[in-house]
Amino acid sequence: MRELLENAYLISAVKAIAIYAAVMQIVPGLVYFERRIAAWIQDRAGPNRVGPVGVLQPLADVIKLAFKEDITPSGADRWIYTLAPLLVYAPAILAFTVIPVGMGLEVAHFDVGVIFLITVSGFGVYGLAFGGWASNNKYSLIGGLRSSAQMISYEVALGLAIISVLMTAGSVDLQKIIAVQAQPGWWGLLEWNLFQQPLAALIFLVASFAETNRLPFDLPECEAELVGGYHTEYSSLKFATFFLGEYVAMLTMSALMVTLFLGGWSLPWVEIPTDPGFVDVALSVLIFSGKLTLLLFFFIWVRWTLPRFRYDQLMHLGWKVLIPLSLANLALTAVAGVLDWNWLLPLPW
């Protein structure tokens, strides 16, 4: 029994190290590809000096930030000031541990994985609020309050959209939610929650942009109109950690979107084996990665296409549009589930 537990711990540790290493390699690549895609959209060159086609530019940026002077403002609360960037980064990377990136391939499998993920990711708001407050700067304080209000507002709509999916799937286990969507044949594509819960998918997608502070909802850090927001007084690697957390959060939200609405690591016309081998697991990871890549491209595309919302427009959309819509969708899902009225669902079959 003891040997089995030790082996289970060892396997979990190997998974954790592998997935963490993969995420930390994806983030610099994501920064690079965002700059290349932005240049393509705006018809300019983009990074093209450091390394072949500028591929080493993220490394150059890290070295530059590492050698910048790390300044702590006088009068700042040093402990909280130092802790704030980690409170943005750590919840995002911790939430990723319960997302199945392949057949049985997640760091930790919880029967209540969705609840754990929502709970952990909600801690990110503390990092922004603490960073603004601990800096001893009125502009940073206002920026922290502004970002906290935004994230809390859209987290309500995000949670309600997820509840609609949980009611449709009848489970809070992410692997079971994928299994419900993984039906054989081309018609199985219509079992994806993207088609079963299209309104919830749209609400989740919009709320994800606001939760990750991405355009057109990047009011917490829009340096052009504001002094800079919650991170005004940050420099060096502390400043970099804030944006590292933002990109990891974008990766986590995209992975959650793939899991909840796009069938996760499954494809309708690929049968799931009862006893998967290494090739099956590798194929499932490849499928998940392909879906994730397309969604990340969409995140970047939207950022460099749409203009920024005004703050009043942002709050109006969250409280007066998305939350009522998500509540209505939740009620409709509940009625359809209790009475088994399939014609109330978006797709009658």
Side-chain angles (χ1 to χ4, degrees):
M1 183 66 179
R2 183 178 177 181
E3 292 180 357
L4 289 175
L5 288 174
E6 289 177 352
N7 289 335
Y9 291 145
L10 179 61
I11 292 172
S12 296
V14 170
K15 286 181 181 179
I17 293 172
I19 292 178
Y20 179 79
V23 169
M24 295 308 295
Q25 293 301 315
I26 289 172
V27 169
L30 193 57
V31 174
Y32 170 76
F33 281 110
E34 173 154 15
R35 298 179 70 174
R36 297 296 300 183
I37 293 170
W40 170 62
I41 291 173
Q42 297 179 339
D43 195 22
R44 54 186 175 85
N48 58 1
R49 291 290 187 270
V50 187
V53 295
V55 73
L56 296 179
Q57 187 62 51
L59 178 62
D61 293 337
V62 170
I63 295 173
K64 177 185 70 175
L65 286 167
F67 282 94
K68 279 185 175 291
E69 184 178 4
D70 188 6
I71 299 172
T72 301
S74 59
D77 189 316
R78 290 180 176 271
W79 285 103
I80 299 180
Y81 177 85
T82 304
L83 183 63
L86 296 177
L87 286 177
V88 174
Y89 166 70
I93 194 70
L94 187 60
F96 196 87
T97 59
V98 298
I99 295 179
V101 298
M103 292 184 186
L105 193 58
E106 68 266 10
V107 175
H109 177 75
F110 296 148
D111 291 336
V112 290
V114 175
I115 298 174
F116 172 83
L117 193 148
I118 295 173
T119 304
V120 169
S121 61
F123 280 96
V125 68
Y126 288 102
L128 307 187
F130 287 173
W133 177 80
S135 298
N136 192 31
N137 181 309
K138 296 299 186 294
Y139 293 106
S140 297
L141 176 60
I142 294 172
L145 293 174
R146 182 176 58 246
S147 58
S148 302
Q150 170 180 326
M151 293 182 70
I152 291 171
S153 301
Y154 280 82
E155 202 164 286
V156 176
L158 186 80
L160 291 172
I162 292 175
I163 291 173
S164 298
V165 173
L166 302 184
M167 293 173 66
T168 301
S171 175
V172 292
D173 187 335
L174 289 171
Q175 289 282 14
K176 291 180 180 178
I177 292 173
I178 293 174
V180 170
Q181 300 176 78
Q183 301 299 326
W186 281 96
W187 287 108
L189 182 67
L190 302 176
E191 295 294 330
W192 284 7
N193 288 322
L194 177 66
F195 302 103
Q196 294 293 317
Q197 289 284 349
L199 184 56
L202 179 62
I203 292 170
F204 183 93
L205 185 62
V206 175
S208 297
F209 279 92
E211 280 287 294
T212 54
N213 301 326
R214 299 281 298 181
L215 266 165
F217 305 117
D218 68 333
L219 272 299
E221 56 199 31
C222 51
E223 67 281 351
E225 293 85 353
L226 307 166
V227 173
Y230 60 90
H231 51 59
T232 301
E233 298 292 346
Y234 282 88
S235 60
S236 190
L237 290 180
K238 292 190 183 74
F239 179 83
T241 304
F242 273 120
F243 286 93
L244 178 64
E246 177 183 313
Y247 277 95
V248 174
M250 183 174 72
L251 185 65
T252 301
M253 281 297 173
S254 299
L256 184 59
M257 177 81 180
V258 170
T259 302
L260 294 179
F261 295 98
L262 302 179
W265 43 259
S266 68
L267 283 177
W269 52 90
V270 178
E271 186 176 354
I272 300 176
T274 55
D275 187 19
F278 176 79
V279 175
D280 300 316
V281 174
L283 180 61
S284 66
V285 173
L286 187 63
I287 292 169
F288 184 89
S289 301
K291 295 178 182 179
L292 184 62
T293 301
L294 291 175
L295 201 53
L296 289 171
F297 173 77
F298 180 76
F299 263 80
I300 296 171
W301 180 26
V302 168
R303 175 178 180 177
W304 297 100
T305 302
L306 298 180
R308 180 178 295 124
F309 279 51
R310 294 198 318 263
Y311 192 72
D312 63 313
Q313 294 173 330
L314 179 142
M315 299 303 284
H316 180 277
L317 178 64
W319 286 103
K320 295 185 178 182
V321 178
L322 292 186
I323 292 179
L325 281 177
S326 57
L327 287 171
N329 185 68
L330 191 63
L332 187 64
T333 303
V335 171
V338 171
L339 301 180
D340 197 21
W341 288 351
N342 291 330
W343 57 273
L344 278 176
L345 296 175
L347 291 173
W349 48 83

